[in-house]
Amino acid sequence: DTEVTQTPKHLVMGMTNKKSLKCEQHMGHRAMYWYKQKAKKPPELMFVYSYEKLSINESVPSRFSPECPNSSLLNLHLHALQPEDSALYLCASSQDQASSYNEQFFGPGTRLTVL
Amino acid sequence: AQSVAQPEDQVNVAEGNPLTVKCTYSVSGNPYLFWYVQYPNRGLQFLLKYITGDNLVKGSYGFEAEFNKSQTSFHLKKPSALVSDSALYFCAVTRPGGGADGLTFGKGTHLIIQP
């Protein structure tokens, strides 16, 4: 199984809502990533988990809260978002973070719209 | 710091003709270079990578890329373009031990294959 799955595919939320994005992989990868991608732009790294510990937080606002419950799952909890947070949120995984020569496998993304 | 430049926002090629999507990079030390493709409303798919060794790298869907150290380039090529190759292409760079820095993506190049 070389697939990274993400749910939901689409999410519309108000600025006062709390929601969560989910990501799952069963490739035995020990590094998992959250990216934010605006239309026609490259992905921007938000968080990296390595062996279920947060290793990179790219100065992301606290209204985004990542969680890695186990080696296969990655969540992104959303609270009090702003309309400018509307984007495609991509999850990715790789064998491990230290071996930077390993390619990342991306999920299809969650299209988030904040009203 | 590491960076990637994709000088063309868009490349137009007639079906059946060869295609080239350009990428140049800047990184301390030896680079690890990647090409990813993104179809509309989808995640990124890995095409190929250069780690070391042979400068010509072959990847998925008939794509190949040539690593040129003196020109710090890693152009993506295909001998005969298909309409289905139309997509957004990203070049990315990291380096040995660069897991802490993550991947740096270029801005992307829209490839349009005309029937």
Side-chain angles (χ1 to χ4, degrees):
Chain A
D1 184 0
T2 58
E3 191 178 14
V4 176
T5 59
Q6 290 187 243
T7 56
K9 290 185 178 178
H10 301 275
L11 179 62
V12 179
M13 59 187 291
M15 289 189 285
T16 58
N17 291 159
K18 284 185 181 180
K19 296 286 185 184
S20 296
L21 309 185
K22 296 184 183 301
C23 173
E24 190 166 4
Q25 58 88 13
H26 294 288
M27 294 177 277
H29 289 171
R30 303 314 299 270
M32 295 185 77
Y33 310 77
W34 279 115
Y35 290 88
K36 173 183 178 181
Q37 186 181 27
K38 290 285 210 178
K40 299 184 180 180
K41 298 288 187 185
E44 298 172 20
L45 184 63
M46 300 174 72
F47 303 104
V48 181
Y49 273 83
S50 179
Y51 290 84
E52 296 142 63
K53 290 193 170 128
L54 185 63
S55 69
I56 294 178
N57 176 340
E58 292 286 358
S59 303
V60 179
S62 60
R63 57 186 184 267
F64 295 91
S65 175
E67 178 196 18
C68 190
N70 60 54
S71 60
S72 300
L73 292 174
L74 186 65
N75 297 322
L76 186 63
H77 302 296
L78 315 172
H79 174 55
L81 294 193
Q82 304 296 310
E84 60 264 29
D85 297 321
S86 299
L88 182 68
Y89 288 82
L90 295 166
C91 174
S93 70
S94 67
Q95 195 155 351
D96 62 65
Q97 184 188 1
S99 303
S100 49
Y101 52 79
N102 287 315
E103 61 270 28
Q104 294 182 21
F105 290 78
F106 284 80
T110 293
R111 175 72 61 189
L112 174 67
T113 302
V114 182
L115 301 175
Chain B
Q2 56 196 33
S3 65
V4 172
Q6 292 182 244
E8 301 149 320
D9 289 337
Q10 184 170 305
V11 171
N12 294 284
V13 177
E15 187 176 25
N17 282 0
L19 68 88
T20 299
V21 183
K22 295 180 180 176
C23 170
T24 58
Y25 67 89
S26 174
V27 70
S28 299
N30 294 320
Y32 293 153
L33 293 156
F34 302 80
W35 275 103
Y36 288 85
V37 60
Q38 186 174 31
Y39 296 99
N41 297 312
R42 301 291 299 275
L44 277 66
Q45 293 179 33
F46 168 74
L47 278 179
L48 50 79
K49 66 183 177 184
Y50 171 81
I51 303 303
T52 187
D54 195 347
N55 289 343
L56 184 64
V57 178
K58 293 189 183 296
S60 306
Y61 312 119
F63 283 94
E64 59 189 29
E66 186 163 13
F67 172 65
N68 187 317
K69 188 171 183 178
S70 63
Q71 296 185 4
T72 61
S73 67
F74 189 56
H75 301 331
L76 181 70
K77 300 183 180 187
K78 187 173 182 181
S80 179
L82 300 173
V83 173
S84 57
D85 293 329
S86 298
L88 182 58
Y89 289 79
F90 291 102
C91 182
V93 68
T94 184
R95 58 180 176 79
D101 301 327
L103 271 178
T104 297
F105 287 91
K107 64 178 182 179
T109 299
H110 274 100
L111 177 63
I112 298 175
I113 309 301
Q114 293 148 334

